[in-house]
Amino acid sequence: MAGSAEMASLEESFRKFAIYGDTKATGQEMNGKNWAKLCKDCKVTDGKSVTSTDVDIVFSKVKGKTARVINYEEFKKALEELAPKRFKDKSKEEAYEAICQLVAGKEPVNVGVTKAKTVGAVERLTDTSKYTGSHKERFDESGKGKGKSGRENIVDTSGYVSAYKNAGTYDAKVKK
């Protein structure tokens, strides 16, 4: 049999694939979809000697008659079933070791997941240096938002008209 460290990483892989795509999953039981994904991602299915149909048949064989999921023990039985089929040139024990090494330490792969792209139009629309009018007042020079002070009109109680160039110079003139 495989070493205890390898068995721990095999169980860890089982748990990661068991919870993949299901927010309510506990990691104790794996459904048929995730079993097929595990076999595909870990390259247990090769398209020639082990196909997706073989994977589904083995899943049906090891699960309970009315069950829709398999636990870790049934998972190991399923790997034992697939091992001689995948590695025909090896003995049953060697084949099981080899298939455990394929699965151990692997995680579900997100293939075909759409990444968010910033297209030219989005960059142009979110560039704060090009804002004008009242929107320009909502950001500082670095482009960081000012928060509430950028949205509300703050009353200037200095006594000067807004945008007066010589604001604050009266005291200097009177002291002369």
Side-chain angles (χ1 to χ4, degrees):
M1 272 302 192
S4 62
E6 189 177 306
M7 279 301 177
S9 68
L10 184 69
E11 190 168 359
E12 184 64 29
S13 290
F14 171 80
R15 297 203 187 297
K16 285 179 182 174
F17 277 96
I19 62 172
Y20 180 78
D22 187 3
T23 55
K24 296 180 192 93
T26 60
Q28 303 298 318
E29 296 175 324
M30 181 183 288
N31 60 24
K33 176 181 70 79
N34 289 359
W35 163 249
K37 180 165 180 56
L38 178 137
C39 291
K40 184 174 166 237
D41 287 359
C42 298
K43 298 189 177 25
V44 174
T45 54
D46 58 359
K48 292 181 181 78
S49 57
V50 178
T51 63
S52 60
T53 308
D54 296 325
V55 168
D56 292 336
I57 290 170
V58 167
F59 181 82
S60 296
K61 219 185 264 186
V62 296
K63 73 176 178 60
K65 216 166 194 62
T66 58
R68 307 184 99 208
V69 291
I70 59 172
N71 60 25
Y72 183 63
E73 295 305 314
E74 292 169 327
F75 167 74
K76 288 196 292 189
K77 276 189 217 155
L79 287 180
E80 279 180 41
E81 288 269 339
L82 280 179
K85 199 168 179 108
R86 174 73 165 87
F87 300 101
K88 289 183 174 137
D89 54 335
K90 296 182 178 177
S91 70
K92 198 166 188 165
E93 289 79 28
E94 287 176 335
Y96 181 66
E97 290 277 335
I99 208 163
C100 285
Q101 287 173 353
L102 282 177
V103 176
K106 295 286 193 325
E107 292 184 14
V109 181
N110 292 330
V111 179
V113 176
T114 308
K115 300 262 191 285
K117 291 193 288 187
T118 54
V119 186
V122 176
E123 281 183 19
R124 189 169 34 85
L125 292 171
T126 56
D127 185 5
T128 57
S129 66
K130 294 187 173 118
Y131 287 178
T132 59
S134 62
H135 302 292
K136 188 176 190 176
E137 303 302 319
R138 294 177 46 212
F139 300 92
D140 60 10
E141 296 79 39
S142 67
K144 190 167 175 6
K146 291 182 184 176
K148 193 172 184 179
S149 65
R151 290 190 303 271
E152 290 186 357
N153 291 333
I154 299 168
V155 180
D156 182 18
T157 57
S158 67
Y160 289 96
V161 180
S162 64
Y164 179 61
K165 290 179 185 152
N166 298 322
T169 60
Y170 179 75
D171 291 334
K173 288 180 182 176
V174 171
K175 285 186 182 175
K176 285 183 184 176

